[in-house]
Amino acid sequence: MRKYVALLRGINVGGHRKLPMAQLKAVAARIGLADVATYVASGNLVFSADATTEALEARLEEAIAAEFGFPVDVIVRSAADWAALAAANPFPKESAETPNFVMMTIGKQPASDAAVDALRAKAAADEKVERRGEALWIWFGSGAGRSKLGAAPAKGVWTARNWRTVETLRGMLAA
C-alpha cells in the first residue's frame, strides 16, 4: 500500500457545505482506505491505499456525495508527489517568516504559464506568484485575507493550502 493525501475543496467554509472530519474518516474507511487520518476541518485526509490517484479521487467524490448529499471536488496526490511539491517551494524565506501567507495551489490539471501570467497581472506590489511543476505558489505579502488576488486560476478545479498545512501533511505522510 502507498500513502496518499486527499484535499477536499470548498468544505466547512462560512458554515456552508459542512463535512465533519470524524464522519469523513468513517466514509474513507468504509470505502477501503487504511490508516485514515485528518488534519483540520478544511478537508485534508491522509491514508494508505492500492489504487491510482484518479481512482481514489473518483471513489472519494462518489462516497462523499452519497454520504453528505452534495458534491465535493477531491484532489489526491501520493506521498512522493506531495514531498516533491513541498520541496519545490519557491518562497523558503517567506515560508519561514510568515508560513500562513504562503499558499500552494494545486488542481486536477497542472498549472499553466497562462494561469501564472493572469494571476501576476492581478497581484499587488507585495504579492508574488510562481509556478513550480504542477503547482502555483503565492506569497500574500499582507495576508490572503486582504488580497484581491485569490489563490487559484478562474478555470478548473483548484485548492490551496498554506505552508504550515503543506508541512504538517508532509510530516503525516512520512510518519
Side-chain angles (χ1 to χ4, degrees):
M1 280 200 183
R2 291 175 40 183
K3 282 194 156 185
Y4 293 92
V5 62
L7 309 175
L8 282 65
R9 182 176 173 269
I11 62 158
N12 299 333
V13 179
H16 301 286
R17 295 167 40 100
K18 291 186 179 191
L19 202 153
M21 293 298 99
Q23 242 179 301
L24 174 62
K25 233 176 126 170
V27 167
R30 200 164 45 245
I31 63 169
L33 307 183
D35 309 317
V36 180
T38 60
Y39 176 69
V40 300
S42 61
N44 305 291
L45 189 68
V46 173
F47 58 91
S48 297
D50 281 326
T52 66
T53 56
E54 295 82 6
L56 292 166
E57 287 172 351
R59 282 170 53 192
L60 281 164
E61 287 173 351
E62 290 168 16
I64 290 167
E67 177 77 16
F68 297 100
F70 53 85
V72 173
D73 293 312
V74 178
I75 296 169
V76 174
R77 294 295 180 268
S78 70
D81 290 340
W82 192 260
L85 287 164
N89 178 356
F91 305 122
K93 179 180 180 280
E94 293 87 345
S95 295
E97 294 172 0
T98 54
N100 291 338
F101 289 17
V102 175
M103 297 280 183
M104 179 183 73
T105 303
I106 61 172
K108 292 234 185 207
Q109 301 297 320
S112 67
D113 290 335
V116 174
D117 293 342
L119 285 172
R120 282 182 180 153
K122 293 192 278 185
D126 67 345
E127 296 174 329
K128 299 177 192 174
V129 179
E130 297 293 334
R131 180 171 67 105
R132 295 292 185 271
E134 70 169 290
L136 290 175
W137 288 86
I138 303 170
W139 178 63
F140 295 96
S142 297
R146 294 183 179 97
S147 178
K148 304 287 189 242
L149 183 58
K155 294 181 181 181
V157 175
W158 296 87
T159 192
R161 297 298 186 269
N162 69 39
W163 180 245
R164 187 170 312 221
T165 298
V166 170
E167 282 291 273
T168 299
L169 293 171
R170 181 164 51 171
M172 291 173 71
L173 289 161

